[in-house]
PDB file of all heavy atoms in Angstrom:
ATOM      1  N   GLU A  50      10.473  -5.253   5.389  1.00  0.00           N
ATOM      2  CA  GLU A  50       9.863  -4.935   6.564  1.00  0.00           C
ATOM      3  C   GLU A  50       9.814  -3.425   6.589  1.00  0.00           C
ATOM      4  O   GLU A  50      10.770  -2.657   6.450  1.00  0.00           O
ATOM      5  CB  GLU A  50      10.677  -5.237   7.971  1.00  0.00           C
ATOM      6  CG  GLU A  50      10.041  -4.963   9.179  1.00  0.00           C
ATOM      7  CD  GLU A  50      10.825  -5.584  10.429  1.00  0.00           C
ATOM      8  OE1 GLU A  50      11.787  -6.340  10.089  1.00  0.00           O
ATOM      9  OE2 GLU A  50      10.487  -5.318  11.485  1.00  0.00           O
ATOM     10  N   TYR A  51       8.631  -2.893   6.662  1.00  0.00           N
ATOM     11  CA  TYR A  51       8.439  -1.451   6.414  1.00  0.00           C
ATOM     12  C   TYR A  51       8.383  -0.706   7.813  1.00  0.00           C
ATOM     13  O   TYR A  51       7.982  -1.265   8.777  1.00  0.00           O
ATOM     14  CB  TYR A  51       6.964  -1.166   5.865  1.00  0.00           C
ATOM     15  CG  TYR A  51       6.868  -1.645   4.484  1.00  0.00           C
ATOM     16  CD1 TYR A  51       6.254  -2.840   4.189  1.00  0.00           C
ATOM     17  CD2 TYR A  51       7.307  -0.792   3.323  1.00  0.00           C
ATOM     18  CE1 TYR A  51       6.070  -3.252   2.819  1.00  0.00           C
ATOM     19  CE2 TYR A  51       7.163  -1.322   1.996  1.00  0.00           C
ATOM     20  CZ  TYR A  51       6.541  -2.532   1.774  1.00  0.00           C
ATOM     21  OH  TYR A  51       6.357  -2.972   0.554  1.00  0.00           O
ATOM     22  N   SER A  52       8.972   0.557   7.748  1.00  0.00           N
ATOM     23  CA  SER A  52       8.786   1.296   8.955  1.00  0.00           C
ATOM     24  C   SER A  52       7.469   2.055   8.849  1.00  0.00           C
ATOM     25  O   SER A  52       6.778   1.968   7.734  1.00  0.00           O
ATOM     26  CB  SER A  52       9.913   2.394   8.982  1.00  0.00           C
ATOM     27  OG  SER A  52       9.724   3.352   7.935  1.00  0.00           O
ATOM     28  N   LYS A  53       6.994   2.703   9.925  1.00  0.00           N
ATOM     29  CA  LYS A  53       5.734   3.363   9.894  1.00  0.00           C
ATOM     30  C   LYS A  53       5.703   4.465   8.735  1.00  0.00           C
ATOM     31  O   LYS A  53       4.780   4.737   8.032  1.00  0.00           O
ATOM     32  CB  LYS A  53       5.467   4.117  11.159  1.00  0.00           C
ATOM     33  CG  LYS A  53       4.966   3.050  12.167  1.00  0.00           C
ATOM     34  CD  LYS A  53       3.822   2.242  11.931  1.00  0.00           C
ATOM     35  CE  LYS A  53       3.308   1.273  13.036  1.00  0.00           C
ATOM     36  NZ  LYS A  53       2.088   0.502  12.553  1.00  0.00           N
ATOM     37  N   ARG A  54       6.872   5.176   8.599  1.00  0.00           N
ATOM     38  CA  ARG A  54       6.972   6.268   7.711  1.00  0.00           C
ATOM     39  C   ARG A  54       6.885   5.725   6.263  1.00  0.00           C
ATOM     40  O   ARG A  54       6.087   6.208   5.330  1.00  0.00           O
ATOM     41  CB  ARG A  54       8.202   7.029   7.894  1.00  0.00           C
ATOM     42  CG  ARG A  54       8.434   8.187   6.800  1.00  0.00           C
ATOM     43  CD  ARG A  54       9.653   8.974   7.144  1.00  0.00           C
ATOM     44  NE  ARG A  54       9.502   9.749   8.343  1.00  0.00           N
ATOM     45  CZ  ARG A  54       8.882  10.969   8.510  1.00  0.00           C
ATOM     46  NH1 ARG A  54       8.365  11.435   7.424  1.00  0.00           N
ATOM     47  NH2 ARG A  54       8.737  11.457   9.615  1.00  0.00           N
ATOM     48  N   GLU A  55       7.631   4.527   5.980  1.00  0.00           N
ATOM     49  CA  GLU A  55       7.501   3.969   4.648  1.00  0.00           C
ATOM     50  C   GLU A  55       6.123   3.505   4.433  1.00  0.00           C
ATOM     51  O   GLU A  55       5.715   3.570   3.182  1.00  0.00           O
ATOM     52  CB  GLU A  55       8.525   2.760   4.606  1.00  0.00           C
ATOM     53  CG  GLU A  55       9.929   3.296   4.657  1.00  0.00           C
ATOM     54  CD  GLU A  55      10.959   1.944   4.833  1.00  0.00           C
ATOM     55  OE1 GLU A  55      10.571   1.020   5.436  1.00  0.00           O
ATOM     56  OE2 GLU A  55      11.925   2.031   4.047  1.00  0.00           O
ATOM     57  N   GLU A  56       5.476   2.984   5.336  1.00  0.00           N
ATOM     58  CA  GLU A  56       3.961   2.558   5.080  1.00  0.00           C
ATOM     59  C   GLU A  56       3.127   3.546   4.687  1.00  0.00           C
ATOM     60  O   GLU A  56       2.339   3.509   3.790  1.00  0.00           O
ATOM     61  CB  GLU A  56       3.329   1.901   6.453  1.00  0.00           C
ATOM     62  CG  GLU A  56       4.038   0.613   6.691  1.00  0.00           C
ATOM     63  CD  GLU A  56       3.457  -0.075   8.037  1.00  0.00           C
ATOM     64  OE1 GLU A  56       2.573   0.627   8.686  1.00  0.00           O
ATOM     65  OE2 GLU A  56       3.957  -1.129   8.466  1.00  0.00           O
ATOM     66  N   ILE A  57       3.343   4.774   5.380  1.00  0.00           N
ATOM     67  CA  ILE A  57       2.488   6.016   5.032  1.00  0.00           C
ATOM     68  C   ILE A  57       2.746   6.418   3.684  1.00  0.00           C
ATOM     69  O   ILE A  57       1.887   6.667   2.926  1.00  0.00           O
ATOM     70  CB  ILE A  57       2.753   7.090   6.086  1.00  0.00           C
ATOM     71  CG1 ILE A  57       2.115   6.689   7.466  1.00  0.00           C
ATOM     72  CG2 ILE A  57       2.083   8.364   5.580  1.00  0.00           C
ATOM     73  CD1 ILE A  57       2.579   7.662   8.570  1.00  0.00           C
ATOM     74  N   GLU A  58       4.098   6.483   3.328  1.00  0.00           N
ATOM     75  CA  GLU A  58       4.470   7.077   2.021  1.00  0.00           C
ATOM     76  C   GLU A  58       3.940   6.096   0.848  1.00  0.00           C
ATOM     77  O   GLU A  58       3.562   6.472  -0.168  1.00  0.00           O
ATOM     78  CB  GLU A  58       6.035   7.108   1.822  1.00  0.00           C
ATOM     79  CG  GLU A  58       6.496   8.305   2.816  1.00  0.00           C
ATOM     80  CD  GLU A  58       5.893   9.661   2.395  1.00  0.00           C
ATOM     81  OE1 GLU A  58       5.808   9.799   1.208  1.00  0.00           O
ATOM     82  OE2 GLU A  58       5.498  10.378   3.328  1.00  0.00           O
ATOM     83  N   GLU A  59       4.163   4.668   1.195  1.00  0.00           N
ATOM     84  CA  GLU A  59       3.636   3.841   0.182  1.00  0.00           C
ATOM     85  C   GLU A  59       2.184   3.814  -0.047  1.00  0.00           C
ATOM     86  O   GLU A  59       1.723   3.620  -1.097  1.00  0.00           O
ATOM     87  CB  GLU A  59       4.126   2.301   0.558  1.00  0.00           C
ATOM     88  CG  GLU A  59       3.758   1.421  -0.504  1.00  0.00           C
ATOM     89  CD  GLU A  59       4.752   0.246  -0.610  1.00  0.00           C
ATOM     90  OE1 GLU A  59       5.962   0.406  -0.497  1.00  0.00           O
ATOM     91  OE2 GLU A  59       4.392  -0.957  -0.629  1.00  0.00           O
ATOM     92  N   THR A  60       1.404   4.007   1.028  1.00  0.00           N
ATOM     93  CA  THR A  60       0.023   4.133   1.014  1.00  0.00           C
ATOM     94  C   THR A  60      -0.350   5.217   0.070  1.00  0.00           C
ATOM     95  O   THR A  60      -1.288   5.205  -0.727  1.00  0.00           O
ATOM     96  CB  THR A  60      -0.636   4.374   2.380  1.00  0.00           C
ATOM     97  OG1 THR A  60      -0.276   3.179   3.272  1.00  0.00           O
ATOM     98  CG2 THR A  60      -2.155   4.398   2.286  1.00  0.00           C
ATOM     99  N   LYS A  61       0.307   6.436   0.279  1.00  0.00           N
ATOM    100  CA  LYS A  61      -0.037   7.507  -0.664  1.00  0.00           C
ATOM    101  C   LYS A  61       0.311   7.314  -2.231  1.00  0.00           C
ATOM    102  O   LYS A  61      -0.334   7.829  -3.026  1.00  0.00           O
ATOM    103  CB  LYS A  61       1.041   8.800  -0.225  1.00  0.00           C
ATOM    104  CG  LYS A  61       0.636   9.320   1.156  1.00  0.00           C
ATOM    105  CD  LYS A  61       1.490  10.443   1.425  1.00  0.00           C
ATOM    106  CE  LYS A  61       1.330  11.156   2.805  1.00  0.00           C
ATOM    107  NZ  LYS A  61       2.082  12.063   3.194  1.00  0.00           N
ATOM    108  N   GLU A  62       1.276   6.379  -2.398  1.00  0.00           N
ATOM    109  CA  GLU A  62       1.677   6.183  -3.810  1.00  0.00           C
ATOM    110  C   GLU A  62       1.072   4.893  -4.177  1.00  0.00           C
ATOM    111  O   GLU A  62       1.399   4.212  -5.323  1.00  0.00           O
ATOM    112  CB  GLU A  62       3.123   5.948  -3.991  1.00  0.00           C
ATOM    113  CG  GLU A  62       3.811   7.361  -3.517  1.00  0.00           C
ATOM    114  CD  GLU A  62       5.371   7.138  -3.442  1.00  0.00           C
ATOM    115  OE1 GLU A  62       5.832   6.052  -3.833  1.00  0.00           O
ATOM    116  OE2 GLU A  62       6.019   8.220  -3.127  1.00  0.00           O
ATOM    117  N   GLU A  63       0.009   4.338  -3.586  1.00  0.00           N
ATOM    118  CA  GLU A  63      -0.612   2.983  -4.059  1.00  0.00           C
ATOM    119  C   GLU A  63      -1.109   3.136  -5.295  1.00  0.00           C
ATOM    120  O   GLU A  63      -1.843   4.083  -5.826  1.00  0.00           O
ATOM    121  CB  GLU A  63      -1.691   2.600  -3.063  1.00  0.00           C
ATOM    122  CG  GLU A  63      -1.124   2.031  -1.850  1.00  0.00           C
ATOM    123  CD  GLU A  63      -2.359   1.574  -0.960  1.00  0.00           C
ATOM    124  OE1 GLU A  63      -3.315   2.037  -1.039  1.00  0.00           O
ATOM    125  OE2 GLU A  63      -2.015   0.697   0.010  1.00  0.00           O
ATOM    126  N   THR A  64      -0.835   2.000  -6.114  1.00  0.00           N
ATOM    127  CA  THR A  64      -1.560   1.872  -7.430  1.00  0.00           C
ATOM    128  C   THR A  64      -2.701   0.865  -7.302  1.00  0.00           C
ATOM    129  O   THR A  64      -2.906   0.299  -6.131  1.00  0.00           O
ATOM    130  CB  THR A  64      -0.576   1.414  -8.548  1.00  0.00           C
ATOM    131  OG1 THR A  64      -0.104   0.086  -8.182  1.00  0.00           O
ATOM    132  CG2 THR A  64       0.598   2.356  -8.656  1.00  0.00           C
ATOM    133  N   LYS A  65      -3.352   0.695  -8.370  1.00  0.00           N
ATOM    134  CA  LYS A  65      -4.484  -0.309  -8.222  1.00  0.00           C
ATOM    135  C   LYS A  65      -4.014  -1.689  -7.750  1.00  0.00           C
ATOM    136  O   LYS A  65      -4.581  -2.390  -7.013  1.00  0.00           O
ATOM    137  CB  LYS A  65      -5.214  -0.408  -9.515  1.00  0.00           C
ATOM    138  CG  LYS A  65      -6.426  -1.330  -9.679  1.00  0.00           C
ATOM    139  CD  LYS A  65      -6.938  -1.262 -10.944  1.00  0.00           C
ATOM    140  CE  LYS A  65      -8.282  -2.182 -11.092  1.00  0.00           C
ATOM    141  NZ  LYS A  65      -8.716  -2.263 -12.371  1.00  0.00           N
ATOM    142  N   GLU A  66      -2.780  -2.092  -8.324  1.00  0.00           N
ATOM    143  CA  GLU A  66      -2.240  -3.442  -7.879  1.00  0.00           C
ATOM    144  C   GLU A  66      -1.683  -3.485  -6.589  1.00  0.00           C
ATOM    145  O   GLU A  66      -1.287  -4.433  -6.027  1.00  0.00           O
ATOM    146  CB  GLU A  66      -1.168  -3.844  -8.952  1.00  0.00           C
ATOM    147  CG  GLU A  66      -1.847  -4.129 -10.323  1.00  0.00           C
ATOM    148  CD  GLU A  66      -2.262  -2.903 -11.032  1.00  0.00           C
ATOM    149  OE1 GLU A  66      -1.657  -1.841 -10.893  1.00  0.00           O
ATOM    150  OE2 GLU A  66      -3.242  -3.066 -11.878  1.00  0.00           O
ATOM    151  N   GLU A  67      -1.329  -2.308  -6.044  1.00  0.00           N
ATOM    152  CA  GLU A  67      -0.680  -2.273  -4.653  1.00  0.00           C
ATOM    153  C   GLU A  67      -1.638  -2.138  -3.453  1.00  0.00           C
ATOM    154  O   GLU A  67      -1.266  -1.784  -2.339  1.00  0.00           O
ATOM    155  CB  GLU A  67       0.394  -1.175  -4.616  1.00  0.00           C
ATOM    156  CG  GLU A  67       1.455  -1.459  -5.642  1.00  0.00           C
ATOM    157  CD  GLU A  67       2.359  -0.141  -5.875  1.00  0.00           C
ATOM    158  OE1 GLU A  67       1.809   0.983  -5.722  1.00  0.00           O
ATOM    159  OE2 GLU A  67       3.561  -0.356  -6.019  1.00  0.00           O
ATOM    160  N   ARG A  68      -2.941  -2.159  -3.824  1.00  0.00           N
ATOM    161  CA  ARG A  68      -3.854  -2.123  -2.652  1.00  0.00           C
ATOM    162  C   ARG A  68      -3.876  -3.270  -1.710  1.00  0.00           C
ATOM    163  O   ARG A  68      -3.153  -4.301  -2.077  1.00  0.00           O
ATOM    164  CB  ARG A  68      -5.481  -2.101  -3.250  1.00  0.00           C
ATOM    165  CG  ARG A  68      -5.642  -0.788  -3.957  1.00  0.00           C
ATOM    166  CD  ARG A  68      -7.103  -0.770  -4.539  1.00  0.00           C
ATOM    167  NE  ARG A  68      -7.389   0.381  -5.218  1.00  0.00           N
ATOM    168  CZ  ARG A  68      -8.014   0.515  -6.357  1.00  0.00           C
ATOM    169  NH1 ARG A  68      -8.298  -0.686  -6.884  1.00  0.00           N
ATOM    170  NH2 ARG A  68      -8.246   1.684  -6.951  1.00  0.00           N
ATOM    171  N   PRO A  69      -4.439  -3.305  -0.550  1.00  0.00           N
ATOM    172  CA  PRO A  69      -4.435  -4.481   0.355  1.00  0.00           C
ATOM    173  C   PRO A  69      -4.716  -5.675  -0.469  1.00  0.00           C
ATOM    174  O   PRO A  69      -5.703  -5.657  -1.248  1.00  0.00           O
ATOM    175  CB  PRO A  69      -5.447  -4.031   1.392  1.00  0.00           C
ATOM    176  CG  PRO A  69      -5.241  -2.696   1.473  1.00  0.00           C
ATOM    177  CD  PRO A  69      -5.121  -2.066   0.066  1.00  0.00           C
ATOM    178  N   ILE A  70      -4.273  -6.766  -0.173  1.00  0.00           N
ATOM    179  CA  ILE A  70      -4.428  -8.025  -1.098  1.00  0.00           C
ATOM    180  C   ILE A  70      -5.828  -8.238  -1.409  1.00  0.00           C
ATOM    181  O   ILE A  70      -6.263  -8.592  -2.573  1.00  0.00           O
ATOM    182  CB  ILE A  70      -3.627  -9.075  -0.519  1.00  0.00           C
ATOM    183  CG1 ILE A  70      -3.787 -10.375  -1.374  1.00  0.00           C
ATOM    184  CG2 ILE A  70      -4.050  -9.410   0.936  1.00  0.00           C
ATOM    185  CD1 ILE A  70      -2.771 -11.514  -1.077  1.00  0.00           C
ATOM    186  N   ALA A  71      -6.645  -8.466  -0.305  1.00  0.00           N
ATOM    187  CA  ALA A  71      -8.049  -8.903  -0.617  1.00  0.00           C
ATOM    188  C   ALA A  71      -8.792  -7.896  -1.502  1.00  0.00           C
ATOM    189  O   ALA A  71      -9.528  -8.199  -2.367  1.00  0.00           O
ATOM    190  CB  ALA A  71      -8.815  -9.093   0.785  1.00  0.00           C
ATOM    191  N   LEU A  72      -8.587  -6.628  -1.200  1.00  0.00           N
ATOM    192  CA  LEU A  72      -9.197  -5.561  -1.973  1.00  0.00           C
ATOM    193  C   LEU A  72      -8.744  -5.649  -3.498  1.00  0.00           C
ATOM    194  O   LEU A  72      -9.579  -5.496  -4.420  1.00  0.00           O
ATOM    195  CB  LEU A  72      -9.040  -4.219  -1.432  1.00  0.00           C
ATOM    196  CG  LEU A  72      -9.634  -3.104  -2.189  1.00  0.00           C
ATOM    197  CD1 LEU A  72     -11.070  -3.145  -2.147  1.00  0.00           C
ATOM    198  CD2 LEU A  72      -9.226  -1.721  -1.552  1.00  0.00           C
ATOM    199  N   SER A  73      -7.397  -5.827  -3.686  1.00  0.00           N
ATOM    200  CA  SER A  73      -6.840  -5.830  -4.988  1.00  0.00           C
ATOM    201  C   SER A  73      -7.501  -6.926  -5.889  1.00  0.00           C
ATOM    202  O   SER A  73      -7.971  -6.624  -6.956  1.00  0.00           O
ATOM    203  CB  SER A  73      -5.442  -6.037  -4.853  1.00  0.00           C
ATOM    204  OG  SER A  73      -4.886  -6.189  -6.108  1.00  0.00           O
ATOM    205  N   ILE A  74      -7.545  -8.078  -5.276  1.00  0.00           N
ATOM    206  CA  ILE A  74      -8.165  -9.245  -6.038  1.00  0.00           C
ATOM    207  C   ILE A  74      -9.635  -9.062  -6.274  1.00  0.00           C
ATOM    208  O   ILE A  74     -10.197  -9.345  -7.226  1.00  0.00           O
ATOM    209  CB  ILE A  74      -7.860 -10.599  -5.269  1.00  0.00           C
ATOM    210  CG1 ILE A  74      -6.348 -10.798  -5.191  1.00  0.00           C
ATOM    211  CG2 ILE A  74      -8.533 -11.728  -5.847  1.00  0.00           C
ATOM    212  CD1 ILE A  74      -5.900 -11.987  -4.388  1.00  0.00           C
ATOM    213  N   TYR A  75     -10.280  -8.550  -5.195  1.00  0.00           N
ATOM    214  CA  TYR A  75     -11.759  -8.343  -5.338  1.00  0.00           C
ATOM    215  C   TYR A  75     -12.036  -7.294  -6.535  1.00  0.00           C
ATOM    216  O   TYR A  75     -12.916  -7.555  -7.248  1.00  0.00           O
ATOM    217  CB  TYR A  75     -12.221  -7.697  -3.885  1.00  0.00           C
ATOM    218  CG  TYR A  75     -13.746  -7.346  -3.901  1.00  0.00           C
ATOM    219  CD1 TYR A  75     -14.691  -8.315  -3.776  1.00  0.00           C
ATOM    220  CD2 TYR A  75     -14.141  -5.997  -4.016  1.00  0.00           C
ATOM    221  CE1 TYR A  75     -16.057  -8.011  -3.757  1.00  0.00           C
ATOM    222  CE2 TYR A  75     -15.458  -5.630  -3.919  1.00  0.00           C
ATOM    223  CZ  TYR A  75     -16.523  -6.738  -3.782  1.00  0.00           C
ATOM    224  OH  TYR A  75     -17.828  -6.379  -3.767  1.00  0.00           O
TER     225      TYR A  75
END
């Protein structure tokens, strides 16, 4: 369960495989 801050930080560090699920598979 992410906090809002963790979500923001993780978004900044997203790799290709860590994109939103539908986009990643697409």
Side-chain angles (χ1 to χ4, degrees):
E50 186 172 356
Y51 294 97
S52 68
K53 288 297 182 183
R54 180 176 293 276
E55 287 174 325
E56 286 178 1
I57 292 171
E58 291 303 316
E59 182 146 315
T60 298
K61 290 179 180 178
E62 297 173 2
E63 277 181 344
T64 64
K65 184 177 178 182
E66 289 72 29
E67 293 170 331
R68 290 177 180 139
I70 182 168
L72 178 63
S73 176
I74 296 175
Y75 181 73

